[in-house]
């Protein structure tokens, strides 16, 4: 059994061993694992109870080492001894565990334990070690390993500290005595279970007599009542914490506490003066600032917020006052224009009141104040003022130049009452339609007016002081031009009227309407009729629908494009003005080929057709073509040999046969040639001053007598080209010096999708005369006539 003792304790145990005989394990045996006392089987029960109770105040397997030992020699901790050790040196003591060999050493022969380093309880308060006795020769344990604890005994080597310091705190001003401000807490690293090293008391070193601190709790309270923030708003306290219950020799620490007195609304607003006076110009604009006043308030933040109001004063509604939230000033604003000549001064009484009042301080007096404000108006030279800023006048559209329309009037608002001169801002009357008399202000017309060009004139009139031309007033005059009936009605749009060849009598082919630039008060009413000779024509009639529209109807059926492709119908339109105006408008009616549903397929003139030509006529045409080819070949051959011009002077009389190709359908109806016989027979001219070889077709409703009516032929249906050709033919017809062989060639592109390709006769030179034309019957109904002429006949028979 291993025994351990610490200095005098070992001697006391040795003495007890002599006084009480031990059996086997002596009177007190130590359990190596628990350190508890074991009861001897031969001991007295009463004495054991006493020992059992005393055991709790002493731990036998615990050593004590004083911390912070500063001696030069190792500190003796205690001694280990085993019952097996007979003192003959055969037993060796071994120490292991926390700090063994580094902090604690053991004498392997005697079992003495020493501490070789200075220990700090605050770093580590306990060390757990294991001791064992082993045979020196075999190193085998002679007893089981025993565990014991080395406890570092505390000394007062740490001062109190404030982990949360320095402190910032606040308390409302005017607080009652004893109001809690803040609680400070100090901690001591020494052992709180041993002595008074960690028992702290608080005291205030700086801050008297305003604040106090509770010694045990560290609660800081106010020591004076009604401290005023406006007098002093901040205090810095020094609080001390001392251990050893504040006794002599204890350690201490300090911290600072900054206490700020927070504001309460304990001060009412006060104006610095009871009377204020301000001067403004009468030209001050509405909503401008007249003045700023401020009531002083010693409080801050929301406790200093205030509202201003005008309690009473002359000139009600002239001024208003609001609070500037940034500066807490009262801002006086102008609500109505000032006029020195009407009123030159105003007196106001203004009140300022705290917005947030604390009921706890109502006894200090009313939290409001009043003052008087006088506003003086200074005179300025003002521009002239029109008696009517916006005047309205009317004038008739047919008013003569110099007609008076109305009068404008302005006056000088100042006491000087300077004379006024008037003028027109020409930027508002660029074309100078009006004039104004400089002295009287009478506005008159300067040019003829046109309501349709401009129905309302917006003029700016200047009124200028004669004594001070820099003072200019402006007025607006609106002049409305009254309408007269000076515009005749016309067609509402350019109508394009189409008439089917299969139209029936009484059919409506067009509904027309009219427009008029005038605007009569009662609205427009138009009357329609056919004009002049067209009124009794046999083709068309007009029906007035009595609703400002009219319908054009056919009188007959059986219209033919070949006979006349276009009809020009003059329509007379009369308005309801006073006096009434009228105009004649021409309606063009184009005759069209339509399908069964009445949809126009093609309109205008048609080509001359050779329907019903005999076989002899066809042979004659083919003979002419062959003759022309032979002539061309002869001319080319002679030119190559003689290098002479292709056309001789005497041969310049040759006329070209003009061939016109229309669309890809229609067969021979799509081609038209000039009559070669007419071109050749120049001697048929009846009048030497008028050409008769080519006569234009000029359809009209004004018919010529049958004897004097010139013959004409149908021309292409394109309106533009038709008119152009007519004009050229008319010029040549009346010009006796013009050559008699005018010609016109036209070519139309038939499209890229035609299965017939080109039908031009220009390629006929290279065409084999034995060509088979039977394929024409496969090209559809549009080539039926060509198929009948060429497809079913023998080409050799035709040529023969």
């Amino acid at each position: 059994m291993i025994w351990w003792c610490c200095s005098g304790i070992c001697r006391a145990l040795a003495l007890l061993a002599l006084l009480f005989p031990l059996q086997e394990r002596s009177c007190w045996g130590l359990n190596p694992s628990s350190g508890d006392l074991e009861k001897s089987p031969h001991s007295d029960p009463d004495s054991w109870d006493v020992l059992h109770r005393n055991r709790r105040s002493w731990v036998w397997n615990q050593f004590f080492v004083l911390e912070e030992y500063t001696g030069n020699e190792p500190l003796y901790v205690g001694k280990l001894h085993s019952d097996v050790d007979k003192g003959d040196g055969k037993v060796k003591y071994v120490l292991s565990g926390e700090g063994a060999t580094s902090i604690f050493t053991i004498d392997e022969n005697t079992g003495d334990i020493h501490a070789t380093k200075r220990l700090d309880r605050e770093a580590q308060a306990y060390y757990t070690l294991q001791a064992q006795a082993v045979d020196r020769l075999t190193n085998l344990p002679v007893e089981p390993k025993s565990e014991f604890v080395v406890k570092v005994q505390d000394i007062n080597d740490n001062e109190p500290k404030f982990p949360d310091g320095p402190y910032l705190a606040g308390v409302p001003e005017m607080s009652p005595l004893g109001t809690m401000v803040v609680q400070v807490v100090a901690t001591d690293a020494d052992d709180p279970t041993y002595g008074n090293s960690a028992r702290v008391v608080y005291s205030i070193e700086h801050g008297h007599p305003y604040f106090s601190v509770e010694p045990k709790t560290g609660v800081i309270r106010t020591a004076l009542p009604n401290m005023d923030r406006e007098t002093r708003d901040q205090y810095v306290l020094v609080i001390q914490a001392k251990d050893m219950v504040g006794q002599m020799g204890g350690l201490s620490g300090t911290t600072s506490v900054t206490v700020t007195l927070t504001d309460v609304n304990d001060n009412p607003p006060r104006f610095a003066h009871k009377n204020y006076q301000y001067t403004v110009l009468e030209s001050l604009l509405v909503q401008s600032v007249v003045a700023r006043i401020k009531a002083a308030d010693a409080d801050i933040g929301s406790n200093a917020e205030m509202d201003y109001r005008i309690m009473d004063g002359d000139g009600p509604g002239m001024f208003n006052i609001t609070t500037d939230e940034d500066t807490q000033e009262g801002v006086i604003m102008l609500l109505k224009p000032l006029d020195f000549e009407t009123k030159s001064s105003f007196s106001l009484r203004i009140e300022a009141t705290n917005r947030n009042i604390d009921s706890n301080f109502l006894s200090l007096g009313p939290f409001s104040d009043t003052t008087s404000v006088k506003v003086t108006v200074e005179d300025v030279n003002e521009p002239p003022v029109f008696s009517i800023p916006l005047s309205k006048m009317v004038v008739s559209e047919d008013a003569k130049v110099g007609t008076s329309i109305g009068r404008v009037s302005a006056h000088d608002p100042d006491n000087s009452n300077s004379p006024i001169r008037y003028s027109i801002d020409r930027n508002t009357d660029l074309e100078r339609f009006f004039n104004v008399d400089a002295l009287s202000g009478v506005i008159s017309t300067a040019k003829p007016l046109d309501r349709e060009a401009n129905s309302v004139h917006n003029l700016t009139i200047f009124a200028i002081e004669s004594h001070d031309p820099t003072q200019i007033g402006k007025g607006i005059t609106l002049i409305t031009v009254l309408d007269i009936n000076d515009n005749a009605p016309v067609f509402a749009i350019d109508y394009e009227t189409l008439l089917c060849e299969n139209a029936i009598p009484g059919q409506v082919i067009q509904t027309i309407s009219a427009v008029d630039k005038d605007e009569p008060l009662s609205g427009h009413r138009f009357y329609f009729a056919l004009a002049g000779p067209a009124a009794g024509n046999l083709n068309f009639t007009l029906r007035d629908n009595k609703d400002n529209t009219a319908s054009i109807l056919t009188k007959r059926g059986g219209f033919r494009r070949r006979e006349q492709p276009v009809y020009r119908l003059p329509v007379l339109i009369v308005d309801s003005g006073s006096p009434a105006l009228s105009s004649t408008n021409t309606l063009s009616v184009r005759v069209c080929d339509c399908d069964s549903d009445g949809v126009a397929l093609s309109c205008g003139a048609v080509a001359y057709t050779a329907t019903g030509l005999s076989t002899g006529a066809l042979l004659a045409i083919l003979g002419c073509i062959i003759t022309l080819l032979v002539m061309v070949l002869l001319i080319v051959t002679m030119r190559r040999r003689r290098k002479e011009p292709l056309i001789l002077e005497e041969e310049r009389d040759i006329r070209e046969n003009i061939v016109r190709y229309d669309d890809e359908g229609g067969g021979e109806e799509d081609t038209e040639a000039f009559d070669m016989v007419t071109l050749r027979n120049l001697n048929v001219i009846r009048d030497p001053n008028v050409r008769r070889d080519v006569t234009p077709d000029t359809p009209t409703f004004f018919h010529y007598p049958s004897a004097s009516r010139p013959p004409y032929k149908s021309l292409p249906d394109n309106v533009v080209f038709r008119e152009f050709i007519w004009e050229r033919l008319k010029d040549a017809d009346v010009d006796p010096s013009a050559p008699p062989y005018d010609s016109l060639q036209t070519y139309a592109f038939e499209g890229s999708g035609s299965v017939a390709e080109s039908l031009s006769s220009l390629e006929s030179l290279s065409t084999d005369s034995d060509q088979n034309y039977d394929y024409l019957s496969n090209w559809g109904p549009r080539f039926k006539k060509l198929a009948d002429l060429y497809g079913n006949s023998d080409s050799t028979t035709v040529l023969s």
Side-chain angles (χ1 to χ4, degrees), residues 109-396:
N109 296 318
T110 63
D112 293 334
I113 301 174
H114 291 83
T116 61
K117 294 183 179 179
R118 187 170 65 177
L119 303 180
D120 185 3
R121 189 201 68 84
E122 287 69 40
Q124 184 169 348
Y126 297 93
Y127 294 89
T128 302
L129 301 172
Q130 293 82 33
Q132 192 172 28
V134 298
D135 186 274
R136 186 180 296 274
L137 296 179
T138 63
N139 281 333
L140 295 176
V142 297
E143 281 191 8
K145 184 181 294 185
S146 178
E147 184 177 88
F148 65 96
V149 175
V150 177
K151 181 179 180 181
V152 181
Q153 191 171 5
D154 182 51
I155 65 173
N156 188 18
D157 60 344
N158 291 279
E159 72 278 3
K161 294 182 179 180
F162 293 90
D164 297 329
Y167 293 85
L168 296 176
V171 63
E173 64 171 332
M174 310 301 290
S175 296
L177 180 65
T179 301
M180 178 179 173
V181 179
V182 70
Q183 182 178 18
V184 297
V185 177
T187 59
D188 195 317
D190 292 326
D191 188 0
T193 64
Y194 180 78
N196 295 324
S197 298
R199 296 182 62 185
V200 177
V201 294
Y202 301 93
S203 62
I204 182 168
E205 291 192 348
H206 182 74
H208 290 295
Y210 306 103
F211 299 92
S212 63
V213 61
E214 295 180 357
K216 294 183 179 181
T217 62
V219 174
I220 299 174
R221 300 182 182 275
T222 59
L224 289 177
N226 301 327
M227 287 188 290
D228 189 6
R229 185 200 66 83
E230 288 72 34
T231 302
R232 181 179 178 183
D233 62 348
Q234 193 174 81
Y235 299 84
V236 178
L237 313 181
V238 177
I239 306 299
Q240 182 189 68
K242 190 174 184 179
D243 59 13
M244 298 299 292
V245 200
Q247 296 176 2
M248 186 76 68
L251 302 179
S252 64
T254 59
T255 187
S256 65
V257 179
T258 301
V259 180
T260 300
L261 296 183
T262 58
D263 186 57
V264 297
N265 192 6
D266 59 340
N267 293 279
R270 290 291 181 264
F271 285 105
H273 305 283
K274 289 302 179 181
N275 294 282
Y276 294 87
Q277 186 167 352
Y278 300 95
T279 301
V280 295
L281 298 175
E282 66 170 328
S283 59
L284 185 68
L285 299 178
V286 173
Q287 296 299 327
S288 298
V289 176
V290 175
R292 287 175 174 265
I293 61 174
K294 184 176 182 179
D297 193 326
D299 297 321
I300 60 174
S302 61
N303 295 320
E305 293 178 356
M306 62 191 74
D307 295 318
Y308 296 87
R309 71 185 182 96
I310 298 176
M311 299 179 64
D312 54 54
D314 50 3
M318 288 293 298
F319 304 96
N320 184 35
I321 187 168
T322 59
T323 302
D324 187 329
E325 297 298 335
D326 295 329
T327 62
Q328 293 301 310
E329 291 178 311
V331 182
I332 302 175
M333 307 287 292
L334 180 64
L335 298 182
K336 296 181 180 179
L338 298 173
D339 186 8
F340 172 82
E341 289 73 24
T342 304
K343 189 173 180 60
S344 60
S345 66
F346 299 88
S347 296
L348 307 175
R349 187 166 182 80
I350 295 177
E351 179 186 49
T353 305
N354 270 145
R355 191 175 296 170
N356 305 302
I357 299 176
D358 192 339
S359 58
N360 295 323
F361 303 100
L362 289 177
S363 60
L364 299 180
F367 284 79
S368 64
D369 196 15
T370 60
T371 188
S372 296
V373 176
K374 184 177 181 180
V375 179
T376 301
V377 181
E378 285 189 355
D379 186 28
V380 296
N381 190 9
E382 300 173 274
V385 177
F386 281 86
S387 56
I388 302 177
L390 176 61
S391 57
K392 297 181 180 180
M393 303 178 184
V394 295
V395 61
S396 178

Side-chain angles (χ1 to χ4, degrees), residues 432-493:
R432 296 180 176 268
F433 284 107
F434 304 96
N435 287 328
V436 62
D437 188 273
L439 299 178
S440 64
V442 174
I443 299 177
S444 59
T445 58
K447 292 174 63 176
L449 303 177
D450 185 6
R451 187 204 65 84
E452 287 70 38
N454 193 351
S455 61
V456 177
H457 296 266
N458 189 345
L459 305 182
T460 298
I461 309 298
F462 292 144
I464 307 171
E465 287 188 14
S466 299
H467 296 165
D468 185 2
T470 61
Q471 298 299 320
I472 302 174
K474 293 183 180 180
I476 304 297
T477 300
L478 294 179
I479 300 177
T480 302
V481 182
L482 300 180
D483 185 37
I484 63 170
N485 191 24
D486 59 345
N487 291 277
V490 295
F491 276 158
I493 59 174

Side-chain angles (χ1 to χ4, degrees), residues 6 35 57 113 138 177 240 246 283 343 409 423 427 618 658 711 737:
C6 178
S57 62
I113 301 174
T138 63
L177 180 65
Q240 182 189 68
S283 59
K343 189 173 180 60
S409 177
S423 65
N427 291 324
L618 294 176
I658 302 172
S737 63

Side-chain angles (χ1 to χ4, degrees), residues 3-17 58 60 63 76-81 111-112:
W3 294 86
W4 49 85
C5 60
C6 178
S7 62
I9 299 177
C10 291
R11 298 187 186 92
L13 291 177
L15 181 60
L16 290 175
W58 188 264
W60 294 99
F63 295 108
Y76 179 75
V77 177
K79 183 179 180 64
L80 298 179
H81 185 73
D112 293 334

Side-chain angles (χ1 to χ4, degrees), residues 169 255 315 320 502 551 672 719:
T255 187
N320 184 35
N502 56 359
S551 300
E672 177 185 9
V719 177

